[in-house]
Amino acid sequence: MSPDFDELVGDDLAAAERERLERVHALLVAAGLPPELPPRLASPPPPPQAPVIPFPRRYRTAAAGVAAVLAVALLGTGYVIGRGTTPEEAFALPMTGAGGAKAELVVFAKDAAGNWPMELTVSGLEPLPAGSVYELWLTKHGELTESCGTFSVSAAETEVPLNAPYRLRDYDGWVVVEHGSTNPVLRTAAI
Amino acid sequence: MELVLPLPVRLPLHVPLLGGARTASIISVSQADALSDGELIERIAADDHDAFAELYRRYARAVLGLSLRRLGDRGRAEDAAQETFASVWRSARRYDRSRGPAAAWLYTIARNAVVDSLRRSPEPPADVPESPSGEPGPEDRAEAAWSAWRVHRALETLPATEREVIELAYWSGLSQSEVAGFLGVPLGTVKTRTRSALHRLASEIGEELG
């Protein structure tokens, strides 16, 4: 039952205003009571999380296969490209040692990551017992300062790729020692 | 809590719908209540939770009312209301104030949530009547839904003291004297608040009144 409009507003309103309020009255009656919020709607909901769409199970194996093929293809492409572009040689240093041992250390141009790729060609070094290796060190004031990698020799001449991730100007030469020792078996002139 | 009325009247509706109790559970907001609906939506787009809480306070009952009116089922209506406000979070960045009032933008979102709910679980087909029904057609229903939306939204703009006299007078079946007795205030105060509330509603629903 809707309330009596005259009882609500009285009879002292101007005609235009009375008409205006009467239309509000009609809208209120037509709209009905707005519903009360139940407990679950009493508080505003949290912002929704971004939906995670699960990959359909039946496609997972196929997707893994495609990913593996792509990985192999990318590796192969990288290998072909890498093989075809020899880094520019920056400089080469001879190394000499006792007993006729000698080596050549070729230092290539610094790569994008700031590393100096190197290749050490060694001859005349004695093969070491199993478990022992030679180690190439950068030196400063005659002290072993930074290691550039380890290698072993098993033939008359051995080529070893190595790397110097340092600022070479901070050092004064390279030496090769038996790992764990400080006695050089090969050394460069000063760089 | 059971309310004991000092009057021998029937209250067909929930009496404790008076402002204070209803809003107590809603997050308090600072400053956001001074902003327009459009400004609130723009702030929601910038991830402002206070703005969202204020917009929710203003529209939650209107959204639920629209959903109930169309879906007829309380549970589905509540789901649709929740989905509406989740959509507000998602869509706030696309809101453009120059393209229309915020109330209409929100109404569209709420209506879409209702339509989605109907799609998921459509109403059973009705029997074809032998004679034309006297019930309102789709256009009339849509217009009535929009009007109710505006009225419910406008009610949220009233001060609590005015909203309670309107709700008691219109939907609790109480006369003005009974409202005065129920609230424990003079009859003149009830009349003043009622007229003031109707004036405010008239201003708020301006274009509805032509």
Side-chain angles (χ1 to χ4, degrees):
Chain A
M1 186 183 75
S2 58
D4 179 9
F5 179 69
D6 291 332
E7 188 200 4
L8 292 177
V9 300
D11 54 6
D12 57 342
L13 285 173
E17 188 60 15
R18 181 181 178 80
E19 188 183 341
R20 184 172 148 85
L21 296 193
E22 195 158 12
R23 290 162 87 170
V24 174
H25 170 77
L27 284 170
L28 279 167
V29 171
L33 174 72
E36 279 301 289
L37 295 180
R40 68 181 280 214
L41 295 180
S43 301
Q49 302 298 312
V52 177
I53 302 170
F55 209 75
R57 184 178 293 276
R58 64 181 181 277
Y59 295 139
R60 283 182 190 164
T61 306
V66 168
V69 168
L70 277 175
V72 168
L74 286 171
L75 275 172
T77 305
Y79 175 75
V80 169
I81 292 171
R83 193 179 55 174
T85 55
T86 304
E88 185 183 352
E89 185 179 313
F91 56 89
L93 293 171
M95 300 184 80
T96 55
K102 62 181 181 179
E104 184 182 46
L105 180 64
V106 177
V107 180
F108 298 98
K110 189 164 63 175
D111 65 18
N115 301 317
W116 298 87
M118 301 184 298
E119 189 171 274
L120 183 68
T121 305
V122 184
S123 62
L125 280 183
E126 291 292 323
L128 294 172
S132 296
V133 290
Y134 290 107
E135 188 166 17
L136 181 69
W137 283 85
L138 272 166
T139 58
K140 192 169 187 178
H141 308 307
E143 301 287 331
L144 307 187
T145 309
E146 301 290 355
S147 173
C148 297
T150 60
F151 62 94
S152 57
V153 296
S154 56
E157 185 172 283
T158 304
E159 279 187 9
V160 191
L162 294 163
N163 189 33
Y166 312 106
R167 287 200 333 160
L168 297 185
R169 72 180 64 168
D170 294 340
Y171 307 93
D172 50 26
W174 276 277
V175 296
V176 172
V177 299
E178 190 178 332
H179 180 68
S181 164
T182 56
N183 295 323
V185 293
L186 288 169
R187 69 172 69 236
T188 63
I191 54 176
Chain B
M1 181 183 73
E2 187 177 352
L3 280 176
V4 179
L5 293 175
L7 302 165
V9 296
R10 182 172 62 88
L11 272 182
L13 303 164
H14 300 290
V15 171
L17 47 71
L18 309 180
R22 184 174 65 237
T23 55
S25 58
I26 292 178
I27 296 171
S28 64
V29 295
S30 59
Q31 300 170 345
D33 56 349
L35 300 174
S36 71
D37 294 342
E39 289 169 330
L40 288 176
I41 295 169
E42 285 166 354
R43 290 192 175 208
I44 292 167
D47 211 26
D48 185 331
H49 289 230
D50 283 350
F52 182 75
E54 173 61 16
L55 193 79
Y56 187 84
R57 187 194 67 75
R58 293 181 190 179
Y59 280 95
R61 292 177 81 193
V63 168
L64 182 59
L66 177 71
S67 304
L68 262 177
R69 180 184 280 263
R70 185 65 186 89
L71 295 168
D73 176 87
R74 184 98 197 172
R76 289 175 68 190
E78 290 174 11
D79 289 345
Q82 283 198 319
E83 177 51 33
T84 297
F85 285 100
S87 294
V88 168
W89 270 120
R90 289 193 293 265
S91 310
R93 283 187 179 81
R94 293 199 294 274
Y95 170 69
D96 180 356
R97 224 193 296 187
S98 66
R99 292 173 63 185
W105 183 82
L106 269 164
Y107 180 79
T108 303
I109 289 181
R111 196 187 53 198
N112 288 345
V114 167
V115 170
D116 286 346
S117 176
L118 284 170
R119 280 202 195 107
R120 282 194 297 273
S121 178
E123 294 168 331
D127 294 334
V128 178
E130 291 179 359
S131 57
S133 165
E135 293 188 356
E139 276 188 30
D140 292 336
R141 284 209 309 253
E143 192 175 326
W146 171 243
S147 291
W149 167 273
R150 297 296 312 278
V151 170
H152 292 165
R153 164 69 187 99
L155 280 169
E156 300 296 332
T157 67
L158 296 179
T161 52
E162 293 180 8
R163 189 169 57 224
E164 68 187 355
V165 295
I166 290 293
E167 290 181 341
L168 287 169
Y170 278 87
W171 299 300
S172 294
L174 302 183
S175 68
Q176 294 277 276
S177 303
E178 290 166 341
V179 171
F182 176 69
L183 294 176
V185 297
L187 176 60
T189 302
V190 170
K191 287 185 174 297
T192 302
R193 289 179 183 172
T194 303
R195 272 170 69 154
S196 173
L198 290 174
H199 279 291
R200 282 185 209 275
L201 290 172
S203 299
E204 190 67 28
I205 321 172
E207 64 267 33
E208 291 283 329
L209 303 174

